[in-house]
Amino acid sequence: MPRLAVRLIPLFLLLLALSAPAQERVVQMENVRLDYAQVLNVEPVYQTLRANRTEEVCDELPTLPTTTVHPTKEQSRWARFLDSVKGVFTSDDDEAKASNKPSGSAEPALINCRVVPVEREFRRPIAYDVDYVYKGTKYRSRLAEDPGNRLRIRISVMPYVPGAMPAETTAETP
């Protein structure tokens, strides 16, 4: 049994030596506070979208407007009489169609109709490049929203230790 203890002691000392550097490492806690910076400039970053759709396009043939004849006093009596007689024999639908057309105008005739593709372009802001100053130093960040005149910022202070990596990067490295 003493022989087994003699063999285990160097193994125990080796494990103790390997775990010693891990005990020496101290993880610094971040000192974080929030403050405001003055915004200097905001530039929107646009996304351009293109959409195609088809529309029917027709050429128009203009027609000459009809001229209205202003009847004299004698003709207007006969015209009123004929209109009253005509009103008895026509239906209400025909009168509605006739009254909807303005006098002196004619609708243009549509010819040579064809379907053509029409491309539309839309621009929408997807981000904002923000220039701001904090304690005399200028910075630039891309943000999802326009911050306005003041930008709330996170300030983190940690001591510099040569040869030591920050805790955030050591967690990411394999």
Side-chain angles (χ1 to χ4, degrees):
M1 207 59 158
R3 240 175 166 198
L4 182 62
V6 172
R7 287 187 183 174
L8 289 178
I9 292 175
L11 184 61
F12 179 70
L13 291 175
L14 180 64
L15 288 175
L16 187 62
L18 289 177
S19 64
Q23 290 176 356
E24 289 178 17
R25 182 169 181 148
V26 177
V27 177
Q28 274 290 55
M29 292 297 296
E30 264 188 307
N31 297 313
V32 177
R33 69 183 177 96
L34 300 176
D35 204 356
Y36 287 92
Q38 180 66 40
V39 174
L40 300 174
N41 187 26
V42 177
E43 296 175 15
V45 178
Y46 290 102
Q47 176 185 30
T48 303
L49 301 171
R50 289 181 177 83
N52 292 328
R53 71 176 206 194
T54 57
E55 290 183 359
E56 185 178 23
V57 176
C58 298
D59 296 331
E60 294 181 1
L61 272 181
T63 57
L64 297 174
T66 58
T67 58
T68 55
V69 177
H70 297 291
T72 61
K73 197 175 207 182
E74 186 66 32
Q75 289 175 338
S76 66
R77 285 185 197 158
W78 281 105
R80 283 187 299 212
F81 173 74
L82 289 175
D83 284 341
S84 66
V85 172
K86 185 169 76 171
V88 172
F89 295 110
T90 60
S91 67
D92 292 336
D93 293 336
D94 294 338
E95 287 180 33
K97 287 179 187 174
S99 64
N100 285 342
K101 281 189 178 180
S103 63
S105 67
E107 291 184 19
L110 300 177
I111 60 165
N112 194 19
C113 293
R114 62 200 173 278
V115 176
V116 294
V118 177
E119 184 174 301
R120 295 189 66 193
E121 190 171 282
F122 303 97
R123 286 180 44 173
R124 66 176 185 155
I126 57 170
Y128 296 89
D129 287 334
V130 180
D131 296 324
Y132 56 97
V133 63
Y134 179 72
K135 298 215 178 197
T137 306
K138 291 181 182 179
Y139 299 95
R140 175 171 258 214
S141 296
R142 183 165 282 187
L143 303 174
E145 297 178 359
D146 186 349
N149 294 331
R150 296 186 337 157
L151 175 65
R152 192 169 186 191
I153 58 173
R154 177 181 179 263
I155 300 164
S156 170
V157 179
M158 289 184 65
Y160 173 71
V161 179
M165 298 177 101
E168 295 157 355
T169 55
T170 57
E172 294 173 6
T173 57

